[in-house]
Amino acid sequence: MRLPFLAVRTRSADETISLGSRIGSLLRPGEVVLLVGDLGTGKTTFVQGVASGLGIATRPRSPTFTMVHTYDGGTYPLVHVDLYRLDTSNEVLNLGLEELFEPPAVAVVEWGEKATPIVGDHYLELDFAWASGDADASSEASDDVRNIRFLPVGRWRSRMGELSDAVRAWAGTEVS
Ligand code: ADP
Ligand code: MG
């Protein structure tokens, strides 16, 4: 069973980068974060923050043809996966990603819903969405507002208190 415990709101790309950086600094070897959400909702921007939170100097970009990029030089290697080009989640079984998700690496996967066949029982899912459709967002009058929901699976459920404390600064919406 999965329940959304936590939702935050960012109002600029920079805020999403700081949020990512905060989460990046909490990640432990072998952990996987799945990013779900439409094109342009800020997944890659978030990954840039994660890299910075790990102390990685390179700024991740949207991969074009390669689906995987590993960034070294930080606390842990960051495996950045983008499954946009995958047509079916079955194809993910042929990529051999599992071995990249082993400690000491930490992994962040865009279009993460396509990775669920291979990620096992423990992962953090983050759902990105434009806030413009929200009834309570009309006052924000900006295309830069994003709602980000945290959906912990398995072991991550016991870390929601820690996560909730960590992201207090971005708390913008109530649990839904
Ligand atoms: P995705 O990887 O989900 O397709 P990107 O991170 O590549 O999205 O692009 C998000 C775009 O939206 C960037 O151009 C970024 O500058 C812009 N943006 C505006 N507001 C935000 C926000 N609150 N969070 C993240 N990106 C934002
Ligand atoms: Mg992207």
Side-chain angles (χ1 to χ4, degrees), residues 9 131-140 147:
R9 173 168 287 178
S132 44
D134 289 4
D136 68 332
S138 47
S139 57
E140 307 248 9
N147 288 334

Side-chain angles (χ1 to χ4, degrees), residues 6-154:
L6 186 64
V8 300
R9 173 168 287 178
T10 64
R11 293 171 176 78
S12 66
D14 279 350
E15 276 191 33
T16 296
I17 289 174
S18 351
L19 176 70
S21 169
R22 192 74 188 83
I23 299 302
S25 67
L26 294 177
L27 293 177
R28 301 171 189 163
E31 289 187 329
V32 180
V33 181
L34 301 185
L35 309 183
V36 175
D38 288 343
L39 210 59
T41 48
K43 301 180 297 299
T44 302
T45 304
F46 180 87
V47 179
Q48 291 170 352
V50 172
S52 127
L54 289 165
I56 291 164
T58 318
R59 169 179 273 234
R61 287 176 302 132
S62 298
T64 43
F65 292 103
T66 46
M67 293 196 203
V68 187
H69 202 298
T70 301
Y71 297 90
D72 294 310
T75 323
Y76 307 117
L78 170 64
V79 177
H80 176 199
V81 182
D82 188 318
L83 299 177
Y84 179 62
R85 283 166 193 282
L86 224 58
D87 289 328
T88 70
S89 60
N90 268 346
E91 288 174 51
V92 80
L93 300 171
N94 303 324
L95 295 177
L97 291 175
E98 296 92 323
E99 63 193 53
L100 297 175
F101 292 173
E102 295 292 321
V106 298
V108 182
V109 185
E110 298 189 47
W111 305 93
E113 67 275 23
K114 298 180 185 175
T116 49
I118 57 153
V119 286
D121 300 330
H122 310 280
Y123 59 89
L124 175 65
E125 178 180 318
L126 299 183
D127 284 8
F128 288 69
W130 277 281
S132 44
D134 289 4
D136 68 332
S138 47
S139 57
E140 307 248 9
S142 165
D143 292 337
D144 293 346
V145 184
R146 304 287 191 276
N147 288 334
I148 303 164
R149 288 195 307 165
F150 287 62
L151 299 115
V153 176

Side-chain angles (χ1 to χ4, degrees), residues 151-172:
L151 299 115
V153 176
R155 222 181 275 132
W156 275 98
R157 295 176 70 90
S158 63
R159 296 185 66 189
M160 285 311 276
E162 179 194 357
L163 284 172
S164 160
D165 287 346
V167 304
R168 206 172 287 282
W170 296 271

